[in-house]
Amino acid sequence: MRRYLEEKLIYGLRRVADRREFPLLAGAAAFCLTLTMSIPVSSALVVASFLSPQRWRSIALQASLGGAVASTLLIVVFHDIGWEQLQEHFPEMTESGRWQRIIAWTREYGLIALFAVSVLPLPQTQALILVSVGGPPSGLALLVLFCGKLIKYATVCGAIALFPQHFEKLRVRFIDREPRAKA
């Protein structure tokens, strides 16, 4: 399923890459990918940066805003769901070492840990869940998430746009390949 979604994303981004609103559409993709937790936003950013390298700054900015708004919305939703129901939906919270480490960071450091998780290439769901239990002000969480994602996404987009020769394998994987034939 993930491969299918990635192919549809790549196809969609290719179709609109020459449009003026392409960075805004990349931001909308980041919003949807973050909200659905379907595929990593980095997949969309890699493709968008290869397709429109001259607009990498705007792509990173829009994706950061879209991802931060979606993450903040997830905090609100997780807060409304409650801890017991979250454990039912995410049973790996109590079993995974990575989940436990991120939960421990978030318990101890709160929004600072949320910022760190949003900057690092880590899944952020665990931190969002734990922060939601405490119910931080959504505006502050949005700001923390936006700043962290801006650093991460600007690094990804900038690296792809400024040093494309170093990412030849990604370009071949995401941009140059032909879509799979339908079975």
Side-chain angles (χ1 to χ4, degrees):
M1 183 65 160
R2 178 178 166 177
R3 175 87 178 218
Y4 173 78
L5 291 173
E6 280 182 342
E7 286 180 3
K8 289 297 183 188
L9 173 69
I10 292 165
Y11 175 76
L13 288 173
R14 279 181 175 167
R15 288 189 56 185
V16 298
D18 59 339
R19 296 176 69 175
R20 188 174 50 107
E21 59 274 358
F22 182 65
L24 185 60
L25 295 170
F31 175 85
C32 293
L33 294 175
T34 301
L35 195 60
T36 61
M37 298 181 280
S38 54
I39 58 176
V41 174
S42 300
S43 299
L45 296 179
V46 166
V47 172
S49 297
F50 274 126
L51 292 172
S52 188
Q54 71 280 11
R55 295 188 279 181
W56 71 268
R57 288 177 188 90
S58 185
I59 291 167
L61 181 67
Q62 296 295 331
S64 299
L65 183 58
V69 169
S71 295
T72 304
L73 186 56
L74 285 173
I75 289 173
V76 171
V77 168
F78 291 154
H79 180 72
D80 288 345
I81 289 175
W83 186 251
E84 291 79 23
Q85 288 184 10
L86 286 171
Q87 284 184 314
E88 286 178 26
H89 285 49
F90 298 100
E92 63 271 16
M93 281 194 308
T94 57
E95 300 164 8
S96 168
R98 186 169 32 177
W99 273 79
Q100 292 303 318
R101 189 170 36 258
I102 292 172
I103 286 172
W105 291 349
T106 310
R107 270 196 188 124
E108 189 167 341
Y109 300 108
L111 291 176
I112 294 169
L114 185 61
F115 173 78
V117 169
S118 67
V119 170
L120 298 171
L122 295 169
Q124 68 175 1
T125 307
Q126 303 92 319
L128 295 177
I129 288 171
L130 199 62
V131 167
S132 73
V133 173
S138 295
L140 189 54
L142 176 66
L143 179 63
V144 165
L145 287 162
F146 174 73
C147 291
K149 288 177 181 296
L150 185 59
I151 292 168
K152 178 169 50 179
Y153 295 165
T155 301
V156 170
C157 292
I160 295 290
L162 300 173
F163 307 104
Q165 66 277 12
H166 296 297
F167 301 97
E168 188 67 21
K169 288 181 183 176
L170 287 176
R171 188 181 60 73
V172 169
R173 177 180 172 206
F174 287 112
I175 304 298
D176 294 344
R177 72 181 166 127
E178 292 298 318
R180 287 189 314 183
K182 293 183 180 179

